[in-house]
Amino acid sequence: MVSERIGSHEDLLWANSLLGTGGERPLWQALSDWRCLSVEGQLLARPLAALLCAVWEAAPETGVRLLWTLPEGLQVDGIDPTGYANGVRALIGGSRERLILVAPYLEGQGIGQLQDELLGALARGVSVVLITQDANSLGSCASASLESLRREARGLPGRLLVYSGPVTAPVLLHSKLIVVDGVSAAIGSANLTGNALLRNLETGVIVGAQQALEIERVVRAAIKLGHVHLVFSIEPSPL
């Protein structure tokens, strides 16, 4: 049924022969929880594969990969000193449906390192969610660094949503995450700043579908429960 449209649990009644009476409902819920359905309701292959692996307690991951930013003068054989930025760009460039970026601190040079890939994702119709802090203050560095992306995103078929978290307790935004299509994610120390992506000593790791989907669930809960607030959204232009 991959690529077929599943509109509701009633399209899964065949599951009763395998799961018993009413079995279509938990199957429908599992497909929803694991983000196996596109916005249009089509069954997606990769999230489905991750769900099946989880059911069978198999590892749905490929090998874990480290990402590095190495400062000038620190040379290590076999390690790309700009691997963090290159790895993040590759992840964004491979997105097809949805993309989540979480970073407490943004500035123009850091966003500039990723802007072409972000605009490319929006041009493909990807839904991009960016969560940071202090973006709701017009004079902040975060707000200024997003202005070019905001302008360029207008008229593209993708959707851009920017959320902002508080800069003081009780809840502080400290995670640095990039999640692509619920299939892979980068977790690490780097904010989206020029120093983090070009000059600091930073370390990240790319993980697979099981962790990516868990991150998505946490981010959706943070949005739903009001830990971060929508600052602005750029919606696709009507046809």
Side-chain angles (χ1 to χ4, degrees), residues 3-192:
S3 297
E4 292 185 19
R5 187 179 183 280
I6 303 175
S8 72
H9 64 88
E10 293 180 352
D11 293 326
L12 301 170
L13 290 174
W14 54 266
N16 291 348
S17 63
L18 300 171
L19 303 175
T21 302
E24 79 282 359
R25 291 182 181 273
L27 178 57
W28 167 256
Q29 187 62 51
L31 292 175
S32 299
D33 289 345
W34 283 77
R35 303 295 293 272
C36 295
L37 303 174
S38 71
V39 174
E40 295 79 19
Q42 289 180 310
L43 185 61
L44 304 174
R46 288 186 177 183
L48 176 62
L51 169 59
L52 294 175
C53 286
V55 169
W56 285 310
E57 297 183 345
E61 318 300 346
T62 56
V64 170
R65 183 160 64 94
L66 290 176
L67 305 174
W68 294 92
T69 301
L70 299 183
E72 186 176 358
L74 178 56
Q75 308 256 336
V76 181
D77 288 343
I79 294 180
D80 178 2
T82 58
Y84 210 127
N86 291 336
V88 167
R89 281 194 287 263
L91 282 175
I92 296 171
S95 60
R96 292 293 175 266
E97 293 186 358
R98 61 190 189 272
L99 178 63
I100 297 172
L101 299 95
V102 180
Y105 298 106
L106 310 178
E107 52 87 45
Q109 190 178 31
I111 289 294
Q113 290 288 311
L114 310 179
Q115 181 150 320
D116 287 346
E117 286 73 22
L118 289 171
L119 291 173
L122 290 165
R124 293 191 298 275
V126 174
S127 176
V128 178
V129 173
L130 195 154
I131 301 175
T132 186
Q133 62 185 17
D134 206 27
N136 54 337
S137 174
L138 291 179
S140 70
C141 185
S143 179
S145 68
L146 292 171
E147 187 55 35
S148 175
L149 181 63
R150 184 207 298 246
R151 289 197 309 269
E152 297 292 328
R154 296 191 186 279
L156 296 178
R159 187 184 189 204
L160 173 63
L161 299 98
V162 173
Y163 292 84
S164 185
V167 295
T168 57
V171 178
L172 293 176
L173 179 68
H174 199 257
S175 295
K176 293 90 173 176
L177 309 163
I178 296 177
V179 192
V180 178
D181 295 332
V183 172
S184 59
I187 307 167
S189 61
N191 282 291
L192 298 183

Side-chain angles (χ1 to χ4, degrees), residues 221-232:
I223 293 172
K224 182 178 180 180
L225 296 173
H227 291 293
V228 295
H229 300 280
L230 183 66
V231 177
F232 69 83

